[in-house]
Amino acid sequence: MLAPKKVKHRKQHRGRRRGLAKGGTEINFGDYGLVALEAAWITNRQIEAARVAITRHIRRGGKVWINIFPDKPVTKKPAETRMGKGKGAPDHWVAVVRPGKILFEMEGVNLQDAMEALRLASHKLPLRTRFVARAQEHAG
């Protein structure tokens, strides 16, 4: 499961999810990608489930890049605890994703396999996504 090795601060504010992705909006490594259409927090478990779905479908065929990393700690108070007494303990990690961000990239597989693998991965994620292919540069 993805998680930071070391962080400067154990707890963070929740922040805001408005606006578009600031970077990572183009396919840089592979030929195909999965782009986010809405803002969401994606947990490290969801990222791992999507990665497993992709790698199982392509069966050692191509290469997969994960372009998001869960670097935000989410805290949770224990069950049946009264309000107050401070912020809860860190529970899990999330990646903050905004619309336009490329989540996964792939290469080394044909179009149909890539579309199906990324479709399976999208079902593991809590947001709407779209399949994208790298724009082919043509000479002239």
Side-chain angles (χ1 to χ4, degrees):
M1 217 87 63
L2 295 172
K5 289 184 181 76
K6 203 167 97 176
V7 289
K8 192 169 185 180
H9 301 289
R10 281 179 59 232
K11 301 175 183 179
Q12 271 185 27
H13 290 183
R14 284 185 175 81
R16 298 173 81 165
R17 292 190 285 193
R18 353 176 353 213
L20 302 173
K22 195 164 164 287
T25 57
E26 294 178 2
I27 297 179
N28 292 321
F29 305 108
D31 298 326
Y32 309 108
L34 194 65
V35 64
L37 297 181
E38 55 192 14
W41 281 358
I42 303 182
T43 68
N44 52 357
R45 288 171 183 269
Q46 290 164 342
I47 295 169
E48 180 64 12
R51 184 196 67 78
V52 167
I54 292 171
T55 52
R56 283 232 175 103
H57 186 75
I58 61 175
R59 288 194 220 88
R60 297 196 302 263
K63 186 162 169 48
V64 178
W65 287 269
I66 304 171
N67 291 1
I68 52 176
F69 186 81
D71 57 354
K72 182 183 187 68
V74 175
T75 61
K76 192 165 170 48
K77 290 175 91 66
E80 299 180 16
T81 304
R82 292 184 176 186
M83 291 293 101
K85 305 265 192 287
K87 192 173 167 92
D91 183 55
H92 60 275
W93 297 89
V94 297
V96 179
V97 172
R98 294 194 171 90
K101 180 84 170 173
I102 302 284
L103 307 175
F104 296 94
E105 294 183 34
M106 292 177 70
E107 76 171 9
V109 292
N110 62 28
L111 178 67
Q112 274 67 38
D113 284 345
M115 285 182 87
E116 180 60 16
L118 291 174
R119 185 189 69 80
L120 292 171
S122 72
H123 287 299
K124 312 290 183 203
L125 302 174
L127 72 169
R128 292 185 303 116
T129 58
R130 177 177 293 142
F131 176 85
V132 288
R134 183 194 286 269
Q136 296 298 323
E137 296 88 20
H138 53 278

